[in-house]
Every structure is written in C-alpha cells, then in structure tokens.
Amino acid sequence: MLRLRAFRPTSDKVVKIQLHPTHPWLVTADANDRVAVWNWEHRQVIYELKAGGVDERRLVGVKLDKLAEGETDSKGKPTEAIRGGSVKQVSFYDDDIRFWQHWRNCSAAAEAPTAVNQQSSAFSAPAPSTRGRHFVVICCENKAIFLDLVTMRGRDVPKQELDNKSLLCMEFLSRSSSSDAPLVAFGASDGVIRVLSMITWKLVRRYTGGHKGAISCLMTFMSAAGEVHLVSGGSDGLLVLWSADHIHDSRELVPKISLKAHDGGVVAVELSRVMGSAPQLITIGADKTLAIWDTVTFKEIRRIKPVPKLACHSVASWCHPRAPNLDILTCVKDSHIWAIEHPTYSALTRPLCELSSLVPPQALAQHKKLRVYCMVAHPLQPHLVATGTNIGIILSEFDPRALPAVAPLPAPAESKEHSAVYIVERELKLLNFQLSNTANPSLGSASETGRSRNESMDQLIVKQSKKHISTPAPHDSYSILSASSSGKYVAVVWPDIPSFAVYKASDWSVVDSGTGKLFAWDSCRDRYALVESALAPRMPLIVKGGSSKKAKEAAAAAAQAAAAAASAASAATVQVRILLDDGTAHVLQRSIDGRSEPVVGLHGGALLGVTYRTSRRISPLTATAISTVQSMPLSGFGGSASSFASDDPFSTREGPPQNFQLYSWETYQPVSSLLAQPEWTVWDQTVEYCAFAYQQYIVISSLRPQFRYLGDVSIPFATGAVWHRRQLFVATPTTIECVFVDAGVAPIDIETKKRKEEMKAREAQGRAVAEHGDLALITVEAPQVTASEKISLRPPMLQVVRLASFQHTPSIPPFVVPKQPKLNGDDSVFLKELDDRRYAEVAVAGGGVSVAVTRFPAEQKRPIGPLVLVGVRDGVLWLVDRYMCAHALFLSHPGIRCRCLAAYGDPVSAVKWATRLGREHHDDLAQFMLGMGYATEALHLPGISKRLEFDLAMQSKDLKRALACLLTMSNSRDVGQETTATDVTQILNLAVAKQAKQESLADAVQGIVKFVKEFFDLIDAADATGQAEIAREVLKRLAAAASVKGALHGQTLRGLALRLANHGELTRLSGLVTNLITAGHGREAAFAAAVLGDNALMEKAWQDTGMLAEAVLHAQAHGRPSLRSSVITWNKMLQKELEHTPTVKTDAAAAFLASLEDPKLTSLGETEKKPPIEILPPGMPPLSAAPIVIKKAAAAKPGLPNAAIGAPMNQGGTPMNQGTPMAQGTPMNQGTPMVQGAPMSQGAPVVQGAPIVQGAPVAQGAPTDNGTPAPAQSTDEVKPLEATTAPDNVEATAATSNAEATATPGSTAEATEAPVTDPTSSPDAAAAPAPPAGSSGTDAPAVTPGEATKDAPSTEAPSTEDKPPSTEASPSPPPPYSAV
C-alpha cells in the first residue's frame, strides 16, 4: 500500500513544507532559508528564492521595473533590499486555498449533532479574491514576501509596517467583510496578532492581551454553532481562542478563552474532523506530548507521548479508508512517519512507514541516517503525505485505490429516499439520504440553469440520517463492502484478517462466512466467487521503543507469517456459490480448474475475472523501494503492489502483465485468452457494456452481440466507476468524469439481426406445424415488392465530460483584462456589464425561457478524499465520501441533461430540453445524438446548421428535407427552372455573368459547384429509395450548372450524363451536350452524346471543340461519310502547327554548348520544298493520289495480310506507318512528325501480343491467328531495308509522293526498339500474320518484333556510319510471304 510518488534531493535539510490543494505544487524552505516551489508531478522547480538574505535577481528586477515606469529617483532603499532573516513559515494563497479552507472548517463543524447546518456542503462559498493569481507567501523574521507565480512579481511587507516586531507565523482569515478581503494574520514576537490587508497592504487590526511570549502557530476553524475562531499557540504554552468573525470593525480584539496547553511552548496546532461529533483540536508541544481538545467545552480529551524521548515537530489530521483507525499522523526527528490508532482511547502509536526504505539507495549515504524535520498531509488527497528530510523532499503515497467501506443499496422505484450500508469500527450502519425538497429548486428551472459561476460551486442540499444496525461486525480493520445484483445481500470482506461474511439485507443475518480476502459477485444473479484460504498468523506489530532483540523476533515472526500466507494462497482455489431464495448458500463449483498459478485477484461482473500471480523479475532498485515495514497488508481486490503512476518502481515498462482470464459463470470454462490485468472492472446491469480500468486509461467494450472493443478513454488513476445505461461515471483522486458510450452499428450487428429474424421465422413455422400439422406449411406466393432496407454502419462513440474537480473556476486576472474606453464619462456601468457577460451562464430566449449559453456547466466541486459512486437517482449523481456523508452533483445543465437523456434512450425528452440550451450549441448536441443513433430526433433541434441538417436528413432518409437544405446552402432554389434555363445557357463563364449583372445566378452556380458531391449523394439516395422526383429536381440544377464554362469538370460531367440518361432526361441530356460543346468540353460532350446514342452529335462535339483526331477515328470506325472532310481538316491543322520559323538568338557560348549535344532538328526549312505530310487512319486511301490496288499472292492463306519487314513498331506490337500518329509513351524516331495529343488509332488491327483496343473492328470472317509463326528472314536481308522499307500497302503511304518523308536527315527509321511481346515466337521471326482492318477491305501490315530489331541502333545515339540516311524513293514492296 506504500510507495514513493516523488523525490527531490537537496543539499540542506528541509525544515518547512506546504502542499497546494489543487495544483501539484509543493513549497519548501531549507535550513539556509532558501525557498523553492516544486511541481512534484512533472519534477520541475517552478521558482527559487533566497528569502533569508537579499535576492539579487528580485532587486535587479524591481530596479528595471522602476526605470521602465520612469521613476529615476528612489526615495529610499527598496523593500527587496531588506534582509529577510530566518524563514518561519511558507504557504500558498489563492482562490482554491481560500475555498477549501472554508470547506474544511464548515464540513468539520457540520459533523456535530448540535450543528446549525447538518450538511457539510451547504455553505456559501467565499467570493473570489485573488482573480486567478497564485501567491507564495513567505513569513520571515524581518518581512513578509508575497510572490505572484503568474506574473512573477512580488510585494515585500517589512516588519516596520507591522509595529516593527519580528514575524513568526501566519494564517489567512477565511471570512471577512468585502471591503478588506483578503486578510492575513501574523503572529509576532511580542504576543500580538496583527492583521494585514492584501488589498491596501496596511495594518487593519490587532489581537492583543492573549500571550505573554512569542506566538508560534495560528489556525482558524469553525465551531458547531457556526462561529469562526482563530486559535493561537505561544511559546508560553498557552492556547488562546479569538473571534474571527469581523462583524464589528474593532481595531483591537481581546481573547475569548485562554488555557494552558503544554509546558515549554506550543509547537503546532491542527484541526481534526470527527465523524458524528464536533471537531477537535490537536496540539503538540515542546514537552514531547500530544493533546486532543474538544472545541465545544475546550477541555482536554486525551494527552499522550507518541514517541518517548523525542518531541513531535509536525502533526496532521488523517482520514484514509485503508487505515480506518489511524486518525493522526505525527513526526519526530527520526526516519518514520508515526500514526496514532484510536487516539481518544487506546492511543497506540505505530510506525506507518520507514522512509529510508523508500528513497533510492544512492541518495542516502552509508554513514548518514535519514531524519525528518517537517511533514504535511495533502488537504484534499489523504493518500499523499510529504516530508522534508535532511536528504530532500519525499512524497509518499498510501494505497490510492482504497475506497470507503460503504455499499449502496437499490432503492424502491416509488421511494425518494436512498440508502447505503457502511461499517464504522465494529458496527454496521445504514445511511439514508435524499434531496431536500425545500432547499433545492426543481431540476431544470431557471434558478438551476441560471446560476452564475460564483454560485455554481454550491452543491445540492442533501438531507441524510444514519441508523444503527443491531448486527455487529466481527472485525474493526479495513473492510470492503459490495452488494449483490438484486440488492438482497451485502458482502463484507476484511482482507487483513482475512475473513468475509455475507449478510441478508432484510434482517442483516449472516448467511455465509469464512476465511478469504478475494470475493466477487455475479452481476446477473445472486451468486459469487471466492478464494478460501487457511487462516494465517497475524503479523506482529513492532512495539514502540522496543529493543533490537525484540525487533529481530518480530521480524522473524513476520517472515514466518508471510511464508505461511504464501503457502496457503498457493493452495487456495476459486469456488462459486449461489444464494437461494430461502437465504441459504450452496456451493456450485468446488474449484475452477484454470491454471496452476496461485490466484491473486477476483473481478466480478457478467463474466468472472481471475488474476493469477506471474513470476516477474524484480530489479534491486525495485526491491529496495518495497517497504520493509508493511504492518498493513495490501488492499482488497487481491491486487499486488501495483503501481499508480508512470514513474513507479513497481510498474513495468512493457505494461500490465498478461495474467487475467475471464470465465463463464455457467460453464466455469475460460472464455478468453490471457488479458492484461486491470485495476478494476465494472459491468453494465443490462450486460451491454463493460469497462476495464488500467493505470493511464479505461478500456470500454461492447458485449452484445459479441465481445467487441470500442475504444479507450484517457482517464488516468481512476478509482471506481458506475454504469447508468450508456453513461459511465468515473471517479479519480481529483475529478469526477462522465463518459457517454455508444457501440454504433457494426457488420456483426446486422448479421445477428438477420439471424434472429430467421430464427423467429423458423420458430413460428415450427409452432404452426406442431399446432396444425403439415397443412400449415401451404403458402401461396404472391408478387411481393421487396423493400431493400440498407442499414448504415455507424462507428462507436466515446465522449468524456468532466463534472467535478478540486480546482476553482478560472477567473480572469486583472492584468489580463484590457482597459475599456469610458462610456458617457462613467465606466462603472460598462465594467459591470462586462463582468456580467464574462461570468453569467444564462440568457433569456424568446418566451421568457432561461437559456444556458455555455456548452457544459462550470465544473462543480468534488468532495474531498476517496469516493464511492452510488449512481444516478432523482436526476443527480450521488457520491459517498470517507466520512460517510452523501453528496449530490447536479446534472441539470441542459448540455449535460440532454446528453444523459439521449444516452438513457429518451431522445424526445433530450430535444425538449434542448430549448434551454443556447442555439449555438445545438450543432454539437446534434452530432452527439447522431453518434448515439438518433439522427431523426436530432433533426428537430431548432438551432442546427443547414450543413448538419443535410447530413442528419440523409442519415434519417428524409430526402425532401435534405433537398431543401441543399437548395438553401447552394442558393440554387431558382436555378434549373424553365424560366431561367435559357439565361443559364447564355452564360459561358462566371466573369461574364457578373458583368451582365447576374450575380445571384453566378452565386447559385458557385454554390452548386461547392456542393456537387452532396448533390450526387442525394441523387443516389433518391434512386435507392425510388424517389425519382427528388432526383429530377437535383438533375435540373446540375444540368444548369454544367452549362457554365469552368464550373464542373470531367468526372463530374460524365457522372451527370449517366444519371440524366438513367432518369430518361434525354431532352436535358441533349441540351447538356450542346452546352458542353459551346463551353469547349469536347470529351465530356462526346461522352454525353455517346450515352445519348447520337453518333452525329458525338462527331460534332469533337469537331467543334478542335479534337479532330478523335473525330477522324470515330468517323473511320463507324463508316461516317464525313471521314474524308475530317481528314482534310485535320491535316490542314497539322500543317498549320508545323509552319513556324524558330527565331532563337544564341551567343558563342550557347552555340558551343549546343554543338556538344546530340544533333536536333532545328529547322523545318527543307520541308517547304516537299509535299505536305499526310496522316491518315489505317485503311484510308491517301488524299493526294488515286488508290492503287495490290493483288494478293496466291501462296498466302486467306485472311492473312502481307508482312512488312523493317517497319517501326509501337509498344503494343501494332505496325506504325510513318505519318501515323503515335500513342503517348511510344518512342519516336527523329524526324517523324508527332501530333500532340493524337491517340492511337482505334481501328488498329489486333496483332500478336498487342492488347485489344476498345472499338477496334475486326474484319468479318478473318480469324485472328496469333500462334502462326512467320518464316525466318536472315539478318542480312533486313539490314538494307531498315531505313528504306515502306509498308506493302500503297494505300497507307504513296511511294511517289511521300518518298522524301520516309527518312529525314539524321533520322533512322529503325530507331524504335520494341519489346518482344510473344515469348513463344522464335527469336528470328520477323513478321507474323494479322487480320485485315478497316471497312475498305485493304490489308494492314503487321510486324512482330523479333531478331531484326535487336541490331537496330538506339535513339540515344543514332548510328549514321553503317547506313547513311536515305533520301531516295523507297523501293517497291517485296512479294508477300506465305505462312509455313
């Protein structure tokens, strides 16, 4: 239960220490009067100060500030230059400390039976005074230093302003009038208490006549009558009581009570909260005694000497659930923290821990003994205790997972009163609590939602009572209480004994008991699992002041007891028992045969979780960190000394061990593999969700229809949780969180739903057969319309909302608020309005309904200490603290209330409550409801945005509303109608539209373009649900927007054309083609014309947009009569592109560099003397010569064309005539004109290894023979023809007219080296047959790349040595080869 949380080594001994209640800060002063503020969570020093002398950094900073403000003349020595002297006390002061000091005093006073106010949380919180600033206050002999940690500016108050008396101690006065708040009281060396205002920095009053010597300690507390008192202890041994209620403004106040407390002086005073009684005062003195005083009669209750021969220097009131009988912690100058058990009667002092075993061994020298000089317990987290020693600061942690010994009981449905059972010492008691009807406003009223930030910290008024149960408890040690799922039985486990007992809640009789400390309930039935163990001998206590011989004997006995406990634990097995209706317990399973390792933990729920001990190697550092004095065994739930922070020596870097297994309560068989060991588990009562808590996060899983991981939430150090439908309320040591959970819709859910429907149908059929016989199976099938219901998948949702924390609501520091200009000469009204606007949470909507303007409420105040979560009842979250006091956190803020109702399954009420929430937060709420699966209900929220409304309408299949949202968002309600359609077609681009004063129309088109994806989604959804009219409305707008140039692009236009054709909008589609042609979208217009099935319109689209190559290929493929005219137009365009004379100015250097490069074609001057180049589709006769028909040889097989040898190949294996446009990516010979953007011919014949081009016609009756090999041709025959050979059909290239174009200077026709596409062909094959192509019946050449291309020179270095470039006419084609 004990571990080191943080350690900071120091060179000097630490003599003063103080913890901040809400921030992880710790302020210390050492023996050399150096003050340091340390962040113990992040191990960082925030501020250091030399308080005893003169701190040079502060002095220089003050001088620089004065120079910056223009103060050059210093009237005297600054106060920062005064030596502080010895540091007597260090403390923090801010709004958090002010609040929690007041809360502690009020709650302690409320415990008294005669208290004026019986509810600890029912008090008016003090108004914020420091405005977000955090002060460190250092009380020195010669001055008091107030340092602001926010601005890093300080204020020094010398003792000259406090009657020139040395300052020895200080205390902040919690209640005071608003004029002089805040106040700080200083105890001086002359026995007078002087009160200083932190606003005016002036002395406001004195307390005189109480002490004859110096004052050593001060403290405020509240009596049971509600009066605030200031108590002081002096070096004269007196304890003096003063009134701290400043109702009358008296400058000097006299004491109320003075009594002798200690001989030799009072060292310290502390307030102790006592359960069910008035608060007590604890004092320690120089006479080595500790005295306890009653605050009602101010009589001494008990006086003890905690540690003989040593005087106590620190004392702290302690209330930890793991040690219910230890109420006081104290320290002397040794290495222990001492605890006093039952201080009012037995008063046994025992060492709580040995600090030298916690610190790292290298921090403590061998010859040096650890000594404690100061100690303080955390005011809000009792598991943290800080000590200042001669080697540094030690922050110890004591079992932070331990919870109060209380178990909530289920309340009857009609009852407003709730109850919980708890144990105090050896008594079972019943706690009854309910909301006070008179003090609390109705939930959700204006006064509840309209509270300001300053009032939001007030908790709900709770009426509670405690009732004694006649059945006594057998033990008074640490106990763990848990109730069964029905609430009829309560189990109590005493893990330190170990022992357990099961009580029947109706008469509190014991129905089962035994030895064992591991116990777990089933969350579905009244059965439980336990591990019975033999009763091991109790570890003996180390008696104070004993000799070393006795200590050795005690250690030996402790080792023997530990060995016996270990052997008993290894032999123990998990049993399962059930409680019957008659109240008797029966054993269901003697032993769950799982694993051989000993069981160290049980976790109840819908499945039984068993934790096994795993063998883990322990490093020497970890072994040293384990305390040698473990007088109290580990806390319940059977856990090992598991860590609670990432830097814990017990924790392993590889994460929690895999030693946790889940078992079925029915079959006692494992239903999972080994999982990571959780800290605790909690299961939903409806067995839908479960949560496994780990050190830094909580894993949430869904249980139905199968166990499925949903996600994890980063809530570290969680101590407990409770489910409320789809809400998980989690408690941590500092906060209360709410996690909203929804599993979403997964594919397994849809499959399970279908399977259940099929099972129901089979069951109904079976019942019908059993009742009526086989005749019941006769059915007459009628034509049925099957509605395809598409269930959309939904991801799981986890949302975390913080409900409560310790920290004060952050306010704006005054130095951050900018100066506002005066209004009408008076700025007080303006500042008041500014303040109201900053802090108010409420606005009034139409109809006088008060509306919360914040998304979530301000964080409420978390009760102090460890808490047990009872659950949500009466619309509030109930908690029980360590003092068995019930607290309620309101959930009535609309932002929380709506979410809780939706998570509970009541979305209609959530929408009604949303009227109390500001409309700017409705989008956020709608997203939450969408994640919860309530898209239809979320549509009724009045303040949602149109974009979210569209998404919700699509989710809920309300397509009419989705269409209305889209038309509003895109501003296109009037677009696409018949009256404006002609106007839209006239607008060719948006710029012209604005010039023509058609801004609204242009904005509408821009809106359609912006939401084009949503328009298409709506069309598809309408098609899926058969709502054709909605789809047509959308298509009108899209067709209108498509006519604007540059509005929509390729893929979108194609999708629009397909959807128009699908809906039969042929007229609109035809108009779309015309508009696209006008706008210049040739490809999209041709695609739309193809969908329309109009070849003439398709060809017109290409021609009118300048895409002549596509027009030619389309006309050639479809036998269009416009083929020849298209080819002529195309070739004219090509000639225009080539007719240009480059004018490039080059200097000598550029010419020289150019001469080093490869020769390039720099001029087309020679081409002017030659006939123009004609580029024709395959199979078309040339334009400049009459067609010449070549008769085929008789030896050729029918259907096999002639093979041209040496023709350049493209990459697909198709022969490419010179002058044929080349596909992109094909290597190009130098000198071959390349038409930019011209694709491959769609009518190219299919050859060996070439992919089939879409639309490539194959002559009817001509089989494609890819496997016929061609006769080999020698390399000697190929080489002379490589540069001069022309294809054998003169229709493609005329020898007389195009002889000059076959090869240009510096070019080689064989430069293209095509890859071999058919691995089966022989390497020396030069040609392969292919079917004829084209409608004219002419033969098209086809050449397969073979051995002939291997010797062809590459394009990078064209070879001109072997064969000079030919300019002669190409010879006549060779006779065709016959296939072998």
Side-chain angles (χ1 to χ4, degrees), residues 27 35 87 89-94 134-140 144-148 170 172 184 186 198 201:
V27 59
V35 177
V87 177
Q89 189 177 344
V90 290
S91 179
F92 293 102
Y93 187 70
D94 54 20
H134 303 284
F135 287 102
V136 171
V137 187
I138 306 166
C139 178
C140 305
I145 303 172
F146 295 81
L147 179 68
D148 184 6
M170 63 181 175
F172 299 96
V184 56
F186 290 99
M198 292 177 63
W201 302 106

Side-chain angles (χ1 to χ4, degrees), residues 475-550:
H475 310 286
D476 64 347
S477 65
Y478 169 56
S479 56
I480 303 169
L481 274 70
S482 56
S484 64
S485 60
S486 64
K488 297 179 182 178
Y489 302 94
V490 175
V492 185
V493 179
W494 293 271
D496 299 347
I497 304 300
S499 174
F500 75 92
V502 181
Y503 295 88
K504 192 175 182 181
S506 57
D507 56 359
W508 298 106
S509 59
V510 178
V511 296
D512 194 9
S513 63
T515 60
K517 63 179 181 179
L518 304 181
F519 191 96
W521 283 105
D522 182 2
S523 61
C524 302
R525 298 178 63 186
D526 289 338
R527 57 184 166 187
Y528 52 92
L530 59 98
V531 177
E532 275 199 311
S533 57
L535 193 61
R538 183 144 190 193
M539 297 182 185
L541 299 177
I542 301 178
V543 184
K544 57 181 180 179
S547 63
S548 59
K549 182 178 180 182
K550 290 183 179 179

Side-chain angles (χ1 to χ4, degrees), residues 492-809:
V492 185
V493 179
W494 293 271
D496 299 347
I497 304 300
S499 174
F500 75 92
V502 181
Y503 295 88
K504 192 175 182 181
S506 57
D507 56 359
W508 298 106
S509 59
V510 178
V511 296
D512 194 9
S513 63
T515 60
K517 63 179 181 179
L518 304 181
F519 191 96
W521 283 105
D522 182 2
S523 61
C524 302
R525 298 178 63 186
D526 289 338
R527 57 184 166 187
Y528 52 92
L530 59 98
V531 177
E532 275 199 311
S533 57
L535 193 61
R538 183 144 190 193
M539 297 182 185
L541 299 177
I542 301 178
V543 184
K544 57 181 180 179
S547 63
S548 59
K549 182 178 180 182
K550 290 183 179 179
K552 290 180 181 178
E553 292 176 356
Q560 184 180 359
S567 62
S570 62
T573 57
V574 180
Q575 291 187 22
V576 179
R577 302 181 185 181
I578 190 170
L579 293 167
L580 302 180
D581 293 336
D582 57 357
T584 58
H586 291 264
V587 177
L588 288 177
Q589 184 76 3
R590 288 285 177 188
S591 174
I592 292 182
D593 298 326
R595 303 174 62 87
S596 59
E597 295 93 343
V599 177
V600 294
L602 290 180
H603 299 264
L607 297 173
L608 173 61
V610 181
T611 304
Y612 296 95
R613 187 189 305 277
T614 56
S615 58
R616 293 165 58 186
R617 297 182 61 186
I618 300 179
S619 64
L621 178 62
T622 306
T624 311
I626 300 175
S627 176
T628 56
V629 183
Q630 289 190 345
S631 55
M632 288 176 288
L634 301 175
S635 65
F637 307 112
S640 60
S642 60
S643 61
F644 215 70
S646 58
D647 54 347
D648 180 22
F650 294 103
S651 66
T652 53
R653 294 188 179 274
E654 61 269 16
Q658 304 286 326
N659 58 349
F660 179 73
Q661 194 152 25
L662 292 170
Y663 291 86
S664 169
W665 286 99
E666 311 295 336
T667 62
Y668 316 113
Q669 297 299 318
V671 294
S672 73
S673 58
L674 284 178
L675 306 174
Q677 174 189 348
E679 305 271 351
W680 46 262
T681 62
V682 59
W683 300 71
D684 184 15
Q685 287 185 344
T686 58
V687 199
E688 292 182 11
Y689 299 97
C690 69
F692 290 0
Y694 295 91
Q695 182 181 324
Q696 296 290 333
Y697 54 89
I698 298 176
V699 174
I700 297 177
S701 303
S702 171
L703 305 177
R704 295 182 180 178
Q706 67 180 18
F707 194 91
R708 188 169 84 249
Y709 167 79
L710 297 182
D712 54 68
V713 289
S714 178
I715 301 179
F717 313 144
T719 57
V722 62
W723 281 100
H724 186 66
R725 288 286 175 92
R726 288 181 288 180
Q727 308 156 63
L728 178 67
F729 295 94
V730 183
T732 72
T734 56
T735 62
I736 304 293
E737 316 273 356
C738 178
V739 185
F740 296 100
V741 181
D742 186 74
V745 179
I748 185 68
D749 298 323
I750 301 174
E751 295 176 11
T752 306
K753 182 180 179 182
K754 291 180 181 178
R755 202 177 302 121
K756 285 183 178 180
E757 291 175 353
E758 293 172 358
M759 290 174 59
K760 286 182 181 179
R762 284 197 297 267
E763 289 175 1
Q765 188 177 7
R767 286 194 300 269
V769 170
E771 186 175 352
H772 304 289
D774 293 340
L775 294 176
L777 298 178
I778 299 176
T779 58
V780 178
E781 294 292 337
Q784 298 178 354
V785 179
T786 58
S788 60
E789 181 186 1
K790 183 181 178 182
I791 304 176
S792 59
L793 302 181
R794 195 174 73 249
M797 189 198 70
L798 302 174
Q799 184 178 11
V800 183
V801 178
R802 178 165 296 177
L803 298 178
S805 68
F806 286 140
Q807 292 194 8
H808 196 275
T809 305

